[in-house]
Amino acid sequence: MSGGTGEHWNVWLAAAAVLLVLGLPPGLVTGCRGTPPERLAGLALTGTTATVAVLLAARGFGRSGYEDLGLVLAVLGPVGVLAFARLLGRPQAPPAGPAEGGDGGAP
């Protein structure tokens, strides 16, 4: 980049920047607040937004290596969401209390 003249900016990079500025914050806020299912939705939204932003940036920079990263994110993002959804679906075990008998487990 030379002197900030903006000659390297194109439509792809502008779209990636707009997506990061306007699309990522709602997913991050949702991922940090609310119930666990709402947080999971925020995680899914953030992963999808980041994937599209990386693919747009790859097109804007003309780098195929960045496209590979975007495609890997596109595959692994839903897998992570499914893993978290499976963990949310498990019943919670009650916390372990002191040993029965009241004597701290001594014979």
Side-chain angles (χ1 to χ4, degrees):
M1 296 191 152
S2 59
T5 60
E7 64 191 46
H8 291 286
W9 275 92
N10 55 33
V11 174
W12 301 105
L13 293 177
V18 167
L19 186 64
L20 287 175
V21 169
L22 298 179
L24 206 54
L28 289 174
V29 168
T30 305
C32 293
R33 298 180 181 205
T35 64
E38 290 172 350
R39 291 185 210 164
L40 185 61
L43 173 67
L45 178 63
T46 303
T48 303
T49 304
T51 299
V52 174
V54 168
L55 288 172
L56 288 170
R59 184 62 120 163
F61 289 126
R63 293 282 184 93
S64 63
Y66 295 165
E67 290 175 1
D68 293 342
L69 175 64
L71 294 175
V72 167
L73 282 173
V75 171
L76 293 180
V79 172
V81 170
L82 288 174
F84 282 121
R86 185 174 173 104
L87 288 175
L88 283 176
R90 288 185 181 174
Q92 297 292 324
E100 293 191 26
D103 58 357

